[in-house]
Every structure is written in C-alpha cells, then in structure tokens.
C-alpha cells in the first residue's frame, strides 16, 4: 500500500491538533485529533479490504489482433469488469513486450462503475510469437489518501508474421497480364481434374473453382464445375536460392512466392487435402512430405515464415545467369586443342552451355532425383507446384517436363525477373523492362502449352502497371507523330 501526500497532510494536521491542545489549553483539539486518527485508521482498513477483494475479482481482458504482420498497426482492446461496484478508482495499463508499440489510452474505472474499455492500435516491429504480460492495475480511494498497485488479467499470445507484399498480382498471360488481383492470395486450383461445364462466376462461388484460363480468354471471371471429385495431393517446391531475394525488403521475389505457398496451405487446410513442401536453397533441400493433419498445416506455415529474406542478398538474376554462361564458354575455349580423354569427355557438354546449366541446376537435380516425388497408396491425383523465377529458363523448362512426365499435373508460379532486377523502377529503362516482360510471357505461354501444365505470373502489381503505362504512353506518342 502506498501513502499519498494528501495523507501525510492529514497526519500533519492530526499532529498539529494533538500538540496544540495542551499548548492552547483547548481540549477540543485533542478530541479532534483523536477523531481524525480514528477516521484515517478506519478508512485505511476499508481500503485494504476493498483492494484485496478487487484484486481477486477484477477481470482484465487484453485482446491483440493475431495473427498480425510486422509494421502493421492492428486493433488492440483492453476491457476491465467487476461483479459489483467498488468505492475505488482504477487505472489499468497494458504491458506489452518490447517488440510491440502500443498506442492506447489506459482504462479508467470510476467509483461505482463496473466496466470500461479502451481501444487503440498495436504495432509489432519484429516477427515472432509473443506473450503479453498481466496488465498493471493501480487502485486508489476516492479521497486520494491510499493507493496500491498489482498485476491482473490474461496473458494472450500474439503471432507476428514477417512483412508481406501488399500489391500481389496472380495472372495468366494475354489480357490477364494487365489484371491486378490486389491482396487476393487465394490460389488457383480446383477440387478435381475431371473437367465439366464452365459458367460465369456468381457471388458465393468458391475462389478455388475459378477457371483462370477461361477467365483470361473471355475477359471475365468464370468458374468450372467438376463432374467428379478426386483426392488431390499437393507437393510444393519452393525456390529460396539467393537470386530469389532480389527486390525491396518485404517485397522480394521470394516474398511474393511465399504468399502463394501460404495460400496453398490454407486451401489444403480448408479442403482437408494432403500437402507437402520442399524448400530449395543454396545449402541444399529440406522437405516435409505431404500429409493432411492440423499439425502438418501448422508446421508448413511455420516453416514458410521461418525462411528469412536477407536484404541485399538477391542478385540480378539475369546478370547472374549470364555470368554463368560466360564462365562455361571460357572453360570450353581453354580445352580447345586438348585431346586428353578428360577433355574429349567434357567437350560435348561445354559445347552446349545450355545443357551444362540444366544439369547443374538444383531444381532440375531435385526433380530428377525423385526425392520430392509423392507416391499414392490409393486413388487420387498428384499435383506438383513449382514456385520459382525465370532466371534459368532452360533448366526450368526441363524441370517442368520432368515433373509432368512423373506426376501428370504441374502448376508453375513464376516471378518475372524483369520486375525485380536493377532498373525495373527506372522510367528510362521502362522500354527494356517491357521488352523483357514480353519475352517472359512468351516463355510462360510455352510452359502452359505443355500437356497438364499451367503457368502463372506472380509479382508486384503496382510495378507492372507502371511499366505498362510507360509502354502505352510511348505507343501513343509514336502514333501521334506525323
């Protein structure tokens, strides 16, 4: 219990009365001092009893919005309630870990009130899982003589995920290249592969039934109704190599692909279908075979968020691949005129540097090894989902062919390097970027043209729109010339 300055003032007055009574020969002062002392003691006893009762009965609810993302201000509410009124004043302040930045007024409960709340925002600066501490409660009597402080309330856990791209577009060539799906990360997959009737989308249709090829062709949302349902086992292969970390923090190639992978996990959780994940980085491959359990879905989500994107680690993908090809040609020239058995064995591979780049590609080697292969005990369909960029198109083309021959159904999500490499945001380079985007779309169409393969573009919608606006403005200027 704490004593306020006001109480010490009352004590000083009490002493003054007690000392003044004999000096002034006024017994009434002595009676006043005794009465004041009795009142202070009785009031102090009542305060202690009331504070103890309140500490046991007070309900404090702290409600942070979870899950949340780093640097995203989300609603944060603190509520307090009592079973009956108390003759005390309360002030409740939340206690947030150092990684959180709350903007919220303390909750105040006046004497006679039984409930109050305060709503503000809570912004987390670092990803992770945090547990809020019990709130700090300060109680005081209505006269302001006594006060006490204690902790009370629940200790909820808040899950904070890394930053996410805010302008993701997912599209499939042609006119749909101009389409931006905003924050929609729900992924492009139906509930079966026996094709039925295509019809226009109506509100209430599941987003997973949208037929994106028909939508692109007809320039309006269409859904496909499946004649029969088959169990789908999804195996994701996510590329997390250094080249995938190109782009601004929170908006790298990998960040966009991770959003698609998370959406796929969510779709599989909703449908109760098995899903697995293989992460390919510069150190090797780590995998979680496909399962359909709540624990599996949570493990996949945690695994995806555990992959850190390193600022500045991403290189210009096209430049990196070009350097690799130049290095191969230098080795080939160094072997000219060498007639040793080793040189003769190596020369056919170096003569075609494309073959060398394919054979050395980690994604191709993973698929060829069969490590990421899913074997079904009963009926069903295996869907291989590859999430990568277009840096090594020759290797990706062969990798997709391998996966298609093995499993039959392949979906490829591609981030165009043209939108992430140096100069993508430079208006002066817009023409070159647009040309590279056209080449990218030609390559994506080539993949989609393979039997059982669908290929989609994933990237920053705002950056794409800027490049397209520049290209359209340039076209109009050319047409306006006499």
């Amino acid at each position: 219990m704490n004593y306020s300055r006001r109480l010490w003032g009352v004590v000083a007055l009490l002493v003054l009365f007690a000392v003044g009574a004999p000096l002034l020969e006024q017994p009434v002062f002595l009676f006043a001092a005794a009465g004041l002392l009795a009142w202070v003691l009785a009031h102090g006893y009542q305060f202690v009893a009331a504070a103890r009762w309140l500490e046991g009965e007070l309900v404090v609810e702290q409600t942070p919005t979870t899950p949340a993302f780093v640097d995203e201000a989300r609603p944060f509410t603190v509520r307090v309630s009592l079973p009956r009124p108390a003759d005390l004043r309360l002030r409740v302040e939340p206690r947030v870990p150092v990684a959180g930045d709350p903007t919220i007024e303390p909750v105040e409960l006046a004497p006679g009130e039984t409930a109050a709340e305060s709503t503000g925002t809570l912004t987390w600066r670092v990803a992770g899982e945090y547990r809020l501490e019990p709130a700090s409660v300060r109680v005081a009597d209505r006269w302001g003589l006594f006060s006490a402080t204690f902790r009370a309330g629940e200790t909820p856990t808040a899950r904070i995920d890394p930053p996410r791209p805010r302008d993701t577009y997912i599209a499939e060539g042609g006119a749909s290249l101009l389409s931006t799906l905003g924050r929609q990360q729900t992924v492009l997959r139906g509930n079966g592969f026996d094709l039925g009737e295509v019809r226009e989308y109506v509100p209430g249709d599941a987003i997973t039934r949208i037929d994106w090829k028909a939508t692109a062709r007809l320039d309006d949302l269409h859904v496909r109704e499946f004649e029969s349902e088959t169990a789908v086992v999804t195996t994701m292969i996510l590329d997390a190599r250094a080249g995938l970390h190109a782009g601004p923090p929170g908006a790298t190639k990998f960040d966009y692909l991770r959003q698609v992978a998370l959406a796929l996990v969510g779709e599989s959780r909703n449908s109760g279908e098995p899903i697995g994940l293989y992460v390919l980085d510069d150190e090797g491959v780590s995998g979680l075979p496909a399962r359909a359990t709540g624990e599996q879905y949570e493990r996949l989500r945690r695994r995806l968020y555990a992959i850190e994107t390193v600022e500045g680690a991403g290189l210009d993908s096209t430049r990196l691949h070009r350097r690799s090809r130049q290095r191969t040609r230098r080795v080939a020239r160094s072997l000219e005129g060498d007639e040793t058995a080793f040189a003769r064995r190596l020369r056919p591979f170096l003569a075609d540097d494309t073959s060398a780049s394919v054979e050395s590609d980690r994604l191709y080697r993973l698929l060829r090894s069969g490590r990421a292969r899913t074997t079904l005990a009963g009926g069903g369909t295996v869907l291989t989902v590859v999430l990568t960029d277009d840096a090594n198109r020759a290797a990706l083309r062969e990798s997709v062919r391998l996966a298609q021959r093995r499993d039959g159904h392949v979906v490829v999500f591609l981030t165009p390097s043209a939108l992430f490499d140096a100069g993508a945001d430079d208006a002066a380079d817009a023409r070159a970027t647009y040309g590279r985007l056209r080449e990218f779309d030609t390559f994506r169409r080539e993949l989609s043209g393979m039997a059982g393969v669908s290929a989609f573009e994933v990237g920053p919608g705002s950056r794409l729109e800027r490049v397209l606006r520049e290209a359209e403005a340039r076209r109009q200027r050319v047409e306006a010339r006499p």
Side-chain angles (χ1 to χ4, degrees):
M1 186 168 64
N2 303 314
Y3 308 109
S4 67
R5 292 183 178 180
R6 186 174 298 180
L7 175 63
W8 291 117
V10 172
V11 171
L13 182 60
L14 188 152
V15 172
L16 183 62
F17 282 160
V19 173
L23 293 178
L24 299 175
E25 299 181 350
Q26 293 289 336
V28 67
F29 287 169
L30 188 60
F31 293 135
L36 189 58
L37 176 60
W39 180 83
V40 169
L41 293 175
H43 189 65
Y45 175 79
Q46 291 176 348
F47 173 79
V48 170
R52 287 178 177 173
W53 172 85
L54 190 144
E55 186 174 1
E57 298 294 333
L58 180 66
V59 176
V60 179
E61 299 176 76
Q62 302 181 92
T63 313
T65 301
T66 184
F69 292 89
V70 170
D71 293 331
E72 186 176 57
R74 301 302 301 275
F76 179 38
T77 301
V78 179
R79 299 182 182 88
V80 299
S81 61
L82 288 169
R84 59 180 173 83
D87 194 27
L88 298 175
R89 291 185 289 108
L90 278 77
R91 181 183 175 90
V92 180
E93 297 186 34
R95 292 172 54 82
V96 177
V98 68
D101 183 12
T103 304
I104 187 172
E105 295 294 326
V107 183
E108 296 189 351
L109 200 65
E113 296 181 342
T114 58
E117 70 174 51
S118 178
T119 299
T121 61
L122 179 56
T123 305
W124 298 92
R125 303 305 181 187
V126 181
E129 191 165 281
Y130 301 95
R131 181 174 293 278
L132 275 66
E133 300 178 26
S136 176
V137 182
R138 184 180 184 277
V139 296
D141 66 297
R142 68 167 62 237
W143 304 103
L145 302 179
F146 305 98
S147 65
T149 303
F150 58 88
R151 305 283 177 80
E154 303 172 341
T155 57
T157 298
R159 191 189 83 208
I160 311 304
D161 295 327
R164 60 176 175 174
R166 296 179 178 271
D167 60 345
T168 304
Y169 83 91
I170 303 174
E172 187 188 23
S176 64
L177 185 63
L178 305 174
S179 303
T180 300
L181 301 184
R183 296 190 180 191
Q184 178 57 260
Q185 273 91 38
T186 302
V187 184
L188 322 166
R189 182 166 66 88
N191 292 326
F193 286 93
D194 294 329
L195 301 183
E197 179 185 0
V198 174
R199 60 172 174 79
E200 287 191 12
Y201 173 88
V202 296
D205 285 334
I207 192 73
T208 54
R209 289 190 178 276
I210 293 179
D211 187 307
W212 295 95
K213 290 188 176 182
T215 296
R217 185 174 64 254
L218 302 174
D219 203 22
D220 199 5
L221 282 176
H222 281 69
V223 298
R224 182 175 294 278
E225 294 183 336
F226 296 91
E227 296 176 349
S228 62
E229 302 282 327
T230 60
V232 178
V233 180
T234 302
T235 298
M236 297 186 295
I237 300 175
L238 176 60
D239 195 344
R241 289 174 288 184
L244 273 293
H245 296 283
T252 65
K253 293 180 183 179
F254 177 78
D255 288 318
Y256 284 97
L257 294 175
R258 173 164 54 189
Q259 287 303 111
V260 177
L262 286 165
L264 275 168
V265 173
E267 287 293 301
S268 295
R269 180 195 293 269
N270 293 337
S271 61
E273 293 176 339
I275 185 169
L277 170 67
Y278 289 85
V279 178
L280 177 70
D281 58 27
D282 294 304
E283 302 298 323
V285 179
S286 60
L288 292 170
R291 291 186 179 88
T293 65
E295 180 182 1
Q296 170 80 349
Y297 302 134
E298 184 61 20
R299 288 178 66 190
L300 290 175
R301 187 196 67 79
R302 290 180 181 275
R303 178 70 181 94
L304 287 168
Y305 276 127
I307 304 171
E308 297 183 359
T309 56
V310 182
E311 185 175 352
L315 303 175
D316 186 316
S317 312
T318 305
R319 190 178 306 159
L320 186 66
H321 186 50
R322 188 184 302 124
R323 288 177 182 174
S324 176
R325 296 179 63 182
Q326 291 171 349
R327 188 180 301 114
T328 302
R329 293 191 183 104
R330 285 198 299 270
V331 174
R333 285 195 297 269
S334 70
L335 293 176
E336 291 179 358
D338 189 342
E339 295 303 325
T340 63
F342 174 76
R344 288 197 301 272
R345 182 68 178 271
L346 193 60
R347 193 174 290 117
F349 296 97
L350 297 177
D352 183 3
D353 58 354
T354 299
S355 298
S357 69
V358 170
E359 293 292 332
S360 63
D361 184 74
R362 285 182 179 271
L363 175 61
Y364 178 80
R365 283 161 33 196
L366 170 64
L367 288 166
R368 189 178 61 180
S369 70
R371 178 178 175 183
R373 185 170 186 175
T374 300
T375 303
L376 297 179
T381 301
V382 174
L383 176 65
T384 301
V385 178
V386 179
L387 303 104
T388 186
D389 66 359
D390 65 327
N392 190 343
R393 295 177 183 175
L396 179 58
R397 182 186 296 110
E398 295 306 314
S399 299
V400 171
R401 284 174 178 162
L402 270 178
Q404 190 277 331
R405 286 197 298 267
R406 184 188 68 188
D407 299 325
H409 302 286
V410 182
V411 175
V412 185
F413 290 98
L414 284 173
T415 52
S417 297
L419 293 179
F420 294 89
D421 290 344
D425 287 322
D426 191 345
D429 292 338
R431 184 173 183 176
T433 301
Y434 180 73
R436 292 179 61 195
L437 280 176
R438 290 175 63 89
E439 293 175 1
F440 167 85
D441 194 52
T442 299
F443 173 67
R444 186 209 56 75
R445 288 173 182 271
E446 178 188 347
L447 295 182
S448 274
M450 299 180 187
V453 178
S454 295
F456 299 92
E457 307 139 9
V458 182
S462 58
R463 202 171 303 165
L464 173 67
E465 290 178 354
R466 187 161 54 250
V467 172
L468 295 178
R469 281 197 303 268
E470 291 288 338
E472 177 62 17
R474 185 171 59 253
R475 185 189 64 80
Q476 292 178 359
R477 288 195 297 270
V478 171
E479 290 181 352
R481 292 174 184 171

